[in-house]
Amino acid sequence: MQTELSNTLGAEHAVFGFTPFPAVAAAITRAGGFGVLGAVRYTAPDELARDLDWMQEHTDGLPYGLDVVMPAKKVAGVSEAEVEAMIPEGHRRFVAELLEKHRVPALAAGEASGWRITGWMEEVARTQLDVAFDYPIKLLANALGSPPADVIRRAHDHGVLVAALAGSPRHARHHRDAGIDIVVAQGYEAGGHTGEIATMVLTPEVVAAVDPLPVLAAGGIGTGEQIAAGLALGAQGVWLGSLWLTTEEAQLHSRRLTAKLLAAGPEDTVRSRALTGKPARQLRTAWTDAWDDPSGPGTLPMPLQGLLVAEANSRIQRHEIEPLLGTPVGQIVGRMNSERSVQTVFDELTRGFERAIDRINRIAGRAGTRGGTAE
């Protein structure tokens, strides 16, 4: 599963694995892929530095990258407190009533509310980059499109390639014009924020739109056969995220959530604005149903929705309230039906890729004969 891009980055396989868990990212890199650590949950620079130190110690000198959430345009002079003050009181009541309906306990006294969507704020993302560029990362990916021009220049000055996710050919061309090095064509099937176009359609469209820039196929990919399909469509690799959630190295800290993922099929996911305010594919739960119900107040735009539901999500996760318990995940969840090590996943991906290539070679061999005689 080697391509020009994987060779450039020093990875054995052109499999880019996005994950919020350092142990998973390091295991992906050690298995021959390219681990990409998600930074959005880090609100303090020392926390990110701690985990990058750990990555350094557990990647055996092999390459890895970082994924940030950074808008191309910033809202100057607006603090998180000022943004949070914009949340309507009616939406706060709706959250409180929903939690009361499902008897969700409060957090313990002094217990922090956990992850809040603050990585979208430019000052937070920039502090992450101040830390990251002190480490030998090989790739900086941005989940909100092209980062600001000075960030791209700064990454290039450090010898770091820059990738950006795109949900349409138009977005991809914008990334190319902004100086991005790699475009991730993320289809409708993917977990997290997605557009409207399916991966099978999107990938060759993006390849054509940004040629000769390398493209990674993303969304609904979780087998070696699907990796082969992505490469056949012109991609120079694949970007996998959901697949790692049920690996042994993942740190979901919830057996009930893991069980829900293992039992889910592709029809058990939904694109909802309930988590962040932007359409994001996730497990369908009573929580997503409530927010998508037309009788409710509707979701707020990003980042207000994320700030509104941060504590509620922490309470749901902390107390494992099963009807409300969910996570961003793609339609490939139907193939995630057992807990396996990252290395085992890679072994299965490799075998599936080899099967696909053998199958295509046999088809090509038959197509090259006529009446049993080679042309």
Side-chain angles (χ1 to χ4, degrees):
M1 297 186 288
Q2 292 181 337
T3 65
E4 181 180 352
L5 179 61
S6 64
N7 289 335
T8 296
L9 288 169
E12 180 181 357
H13 300 300
V15 175
F16 294 73
F18 164 78
T19 174
F21 308 123
V24 176
I28 290 168
T29 287
R30 291 197 308 271
F34 190 98
V36 181
L37 178 64
V40 70
R41 68 189 180 92
Y42 295 98
T43 57
D46 59 330
E47 294 175 353
L48 178 59
R50 176 201 63 206
D51 282 355
L52 288 176
D53 283 338
W54 190 93
M55 290 278 293
Q56 274 294 104
E57 296 172 4
H58 293 83
T59 48
D60 302 333
L62 297 169
Y64 62 91
L66 190 74
D67 179 278
V68 297
V69 177
M70 193 174 201
K73 298 178 182 178
K74 74 173 182 177
V75 179
V78 179
S79 69
E80 181 181 338
E82 290 171 319
V83 173
E84 193 158 4
M86 301 176 189
I87 297 172
E89 188 59 35
H91 282 73
R92 295 187 187 278
R93 285 198 302 272
F94 180 77
V95 171
E97 291 168 359
L98 187 55
L99 295 176
E100 183 178 358
K101 174 183 177 181
H102 289 274
R103 299 181 180 179
V104 182
L107 296 174
E111 184 177 357
S113 64
W115 177 66
R116 293 167 63 82
I117 298 176
T118 55
W120 65 274
M121 299 183 74
E122 181 160 348
E123 60 266 30
V124 176
R126 286 187 179 276
T127 62
Q128 294 169 349
L129 296 180
D130 290 340
V131 171
F133 287 134
D134 286 337
Y135 293 82
I137 63 171
K138 299 295 184 184
L139 178 71
L140 175 67
N142 191 41
L144 283 183
S146 302
D150 69 294
V151 171
I152 298 174
R153 289 193 299 270
R154 186 179 178 191
H156 288 166
D157 288 344
H158 282 82
V160 176
L161 297 183
V162 181
L165 276 65
S168 73
R170 177 176 60 84
H171 293 156
R173 284 189 289 267
H174 175 76
H175 297 338
R176 175 201 60 195
D177 296 343
I180 294 298
D181 304 294
I182 303 166
V183 177
V184 181
Q186 179 165 278
Y188 172 86
E189 306 95 324
H193 297 124
T194 71
E196 302 285 347
I197 307 174
T199 305
M200 182 65 73
V201 174
L202 179 65
T203 301
E205 291 279 346
V206 170
V207 168
V210 302
D211 183 60
L213 286 185
V215 172
L216 301 178
I221 299 174
T223 69
E225 288 86 351
Q226 290 168 318
I227 293 173
L231 300 188
L233 293 172
Q236 285 206 31
V238 294
W239 179 273
L240 309 183
S242 299
L243 189 64
W244 317 110
L245 288 173
T246 53
T247 56
E248 294 170 355
E249 293 88 346
Q251 298 160 318
L252 285 179
H253 303 302
S254 172
R255 296 307 303 171
R256 289 183 180 178
L257 179 55
T258 298
K260 290 184 76 169
L261 288 168
L262 294 175
E267 70 280 1
D268 295 316
T269 69
V270 63
R271 285 173 77 242
S272 171
R273 297 177 183 268
L275 183 62
T276 69
K278 285 183 175 289
R281 186 172 295 284
Q282 54 202 282
L283 279 181
R284 181 176 181 177
T285 65
W287 177 263
T288 62
D289 286 347
W291 281 105
D292 295 338
D293 190 330
S295 66
T299 56
L300 296 169
M302 187 179 190
L304 298 181
Q305 181 72 16
L307 293 172
L308 168 66
V309 303
E311 181 179 338
N313 281 329
S314 293
R315 290 166 61 181
I316 292 165
Q317 298 284 341
R318 171 68 178 82
H319 297 288
E320 297 189 280
I321 308 302
E322 190 165 356
L324 305 177
L325 195 60
T327 184
V329 68
Q331 290 180 326
I332 196 62
V333 70
R335 301 299 296 263
M336 296 157 49
N337 47 28
S338 66
E339 292 186 75
R340 302 162 293 170
S341 68
V342 168
Q343 183 62 62
T344 298
V345 171
F346 260 89
D347 292 342
E348 293 177 0
L349 293 176
T350 301
R351 288 194 294 269
F353 182 83
E354 291 171 347
R355 285 194 300 268
I357 297 302
D358 289 343
R359 186 179 303 122
I360 294 300
N361 285 337
R362 289 196 301 272
I363 293 171
R366 287 195 295 272
T369 64
R370 185 175 298 165
T373 302
E375 291 182 322

